[in-house]
Amino acid sequence: MKYIYHFCRLLFGAWFLFSGLWHFFWPWLQPMGNTPEAIDFTKALLASGLFDWVKAIEVVTGITLLLNRAMPLTILAVVPLNIVIVYWNVALDEGLVEWTFAALTVIFNAVIAWPWRSYFWQLFTWKGAADYSMEPRFPA
């Protein structure tokens, strides 16, 4: 599992870093999609400026994935982006290549998140006690 984890982490990190940098260095090459819906969605993201933020997050998470640092935070930051990636590839721009990217995104996320699963169980706390003090506290 260790080698599969590192393979997926490095490939996924390189994919995110390249995809994010592509937007900033070669914006005229940005894939828009093949269907009117995909093109409209991408144009809306670009026009709103949200795409710049998405790509900046891709660059940062690509770097942290490649360095294997801040992994629980990186995984949490990547999940919403990947939900949109899967939606875009399955619902908006259908095709074999798109479905393959959607499947790889889900697989890479699952493989990368699995070794860090113990960090996420606290997120499922249904009812807890809030700490309103100004003291910095770290989990035991």
Side-chain angles (χ1 to χ4, degrees):
M1 176 66 184
K2 181 178 179 180
Y3 297 109
I4 295 170
Y5 164 77
H6 288 298
F7 173 78
C8 290
R9 177 184 61 80
L10 292 171
L11 190 60
F12 199 44
W15 173 14
F16 259 46
L17 181 59
F18 177 76
S19 178
L21 290 176
W22 180 322
H23 171 71
F24 295 109
F25 290 119
W26 309 284
W28 59 91
L29 296 175
Q30 177 61 49
M32 300 297 283
N34 298 314
T35 64
E37 296 83 8
I39 294 167
D40 289 344
F41 184 78
T42 306
K43 284 182 178 178
L45 286 173
L46 287 164
S48 69
L50 186 58
F51 210 61
D52 293 334
W53 287 99
V54 168
K55 293 303 179 176
I57 293 168
E58 282 185 1
V59 170
V60 171
T61 56
I63 291 169
T64 56
L65 282 164
L66 290 172
L67 296 176
N68 203 29
R69 296 291 184 255
M71 291 305 293
L73 180 59
T74 297
I75 292 163
L76 287 177
V78 164
V79 168
L81 297 179
N82 284 320
I83 291 169
V84 175
I85 290 168
V86 169
Y87 176 77
W88 193 86
N89 283 302
V90 171
L92 298 180
D93 203 35
E94 298 174 0
L96 183 58
V97 171
E98 289 76 13
W99 292 339
T100 303
F101 274 113
L104 286 174
T105 298
V106 172
I107 291 166
F108 287 161
N109 269 310
V111 169
I112 292 167
W114 182 256
W116 301 96
R117 65 195 177 279
S118 64
Y119 289 85
F120 300 113
W121 289 117
Q122 284 185 323
L123 296 174
F124 296 102
T125 301
W126 185 256
K127 186 174 181 180
D131 180 1
Y132 300 106
S133 73
M134 297 300 288
E135 298 294 321
R137 299 193 198 273
F138 297 98

